[in-house]
Amino acid sequence: MDLLTALDALFVEFEQALAGAASLESLEALRVDALGRKGRLARIMSRLPELAAQARPAAGQKANSVKERCTALFEERANALLAARESAALKRFDPTLPGRTPWRGSLHPTTLITEEICAVFTAMGFDIVSGPEVEHDYYNFEALNMPAAHPARDMQDTLYITGQMLLRTHTSPVQVRSMLVRRPPLSVIAPGKVYRRDSDVTHTPMFHQIEGLVVGNLINFAHLRGTLTTFVCAVFGSRTKVRFRPSFFPFTEPSAEVDISCSLCGGTGHVAGGPCRVCKATGWVEILGCGMVDPTVFAAVDYPDSVSGFAFGMGVERVAMIRYGINDLRMFFENDTRFLTQFVRG
Ligand code: DAH
């Protein structure tokens, strides 16, 4: 068969074969067989040198036209098959079926409590600030009146990175950083992650704290008491009792720890089944440490002697445990959604 007749035959046979193809896959197979790089058209055209030189351009044009017409036919047929496939799918679609309810996430109790505590303090005029989790020894210890070899450093099992760099053991370094960039008066609150080399039923290597700092003229212990009592009543209810117990922190003098009446047993120390687990039958639970900023800390940030201030720090998971009556700290970190989805914004 001469080359031009072979081209005509290719078109006719391709058209017939397409008409018989029932699926997109077999359609594509036919296209490859006829027009593909090693297909029939390519094989026919490889015989071009058989023709006299002056007959070749016409043969080339014919080959192009056959290719174009075959492609057009292929597309027409493919579109028809696609449309048929879609309308078959639509016929199977049952619009009366109930929709799929998307799974809704929820905020982690640590996030909820952090937001709630921050809202209480911002309502009192505090600014929210933050600092780095990878911290320099100077801000975490030194400037907070804990020079190298200070025994208080032992209280905080530190995770060191290299040399002077460490994972902050508390949010108190943000106090120092805030005072270095602001002038008094100031009132800031600093929520964030802290790290300690500690892991058991009541300790995790990472947990959350919120630090607070107020500095100004004539700030005294009454301001501290008033501010923290307001906070306790806002988060735990206005009938909650608050007590300040003398304590020690290197960066405050005097220092105190704050206990509140146990919300599980109402401060009685006993629940229906016996002694209260949350407060270990004492009726009180400790929720934070606080005190008047030590003058040594003010000196480290070059604040004048005339200012005074108070600071406090609390563990967020601890506040959440007391508030929600959770007795196992590990629940916060196991990512069990049955536990996590129970908490809603209060
Ligand atoms: N940084 C202390 C800790 O992690 C908590 C603390 C106590 C912070 C007293 C303070 C404070 O600002 O005044 O245990």
Side-chain angles (χ1 to χ4, degrees), residues 243-247 255-259 286:
R243 96 182 166 186
F244 288 73
R245 226 176 347 93
S247 184
S255 304
E257 274 167 326
V258 173
D259 298 337
E286 182 199 317

Side-chain angles (χ1 to χ4, degrees), residues 11 14-15 18-19 27 31 34-35 41 63-81:
F11 178 74
F14 185 66
E15 189 175 24
L18 281 191
L27 215 58
R31 189 192 66 77
L35 310 177
L41 181 64
N64 281 341
S65 127
V66 164
K67 184 168 186 175
E68 266 167 33
R69 285 184 295 145
C70 285
T71 308
L73 274 181
F74 167 81
E75 277 168 8
E76 192 183 302
R77 185 80 186 120
N79 286 339
L81 278 180

Side-chain angles (χ1 to χ4, degrees), residues 156 169-170 172 175 196 209 211-212 249 251-252 289-291 311-313:
Q156 320 212 325
T169 57
H170 52 180
S172 303
Q175 276 188 37
R196 290 186 195 177
Q209 281 190 340
E211 184 80 13
F249 298 102
F251 30 91
T252 44
C290 61
F312 53 91

Side-chain angles (χ1 to χ4, degrees), residues 9 13 38 83 89 93 106 123 149 170 191 211 226 229 231 235 249 263 265 338:
E13 282 162 33
K38 294 181 182 156
F93 173 66
S106 58
H170 52 180
E211 184 80 13
T229 305
F231 149 72
V235 173
F249 298 102
S263 47
C265 63
R338 291 169 304 177

Side-chain angles (χ1 to χ4, degrees), residues 94-135:
D94 179 356
T96 65
L97 281 175
R100 283 189 205 129
T101 318
W103 186 75
R104 292 188 63 182
S106 58
L107 291 178
H108 195 281
T110 308
T111 307
L112 286 172
I113 286 288
T114 303
E115 286 183 355
E116 189 176 329
I117 295 173
C118 287
V120 170
F121 283 102
T122 50
M124 288 194 266
F126 284 69
D127 292 334
I128 298 177
V129 294
S130 62
E133 289 169 28
V134 176
E135 187 53 285

Side-chain angles (χ1 to χ4, degrees), residues 219-236:
I219 298 290
N220 61 40
F221 206 91
H223 297 123
L224 181 157
R225 280 191 68 123
T227 306
L228 293 181
T229 305
T230 303
F231 149 72
V232 166
C233 291
V235 173
F236 294 96

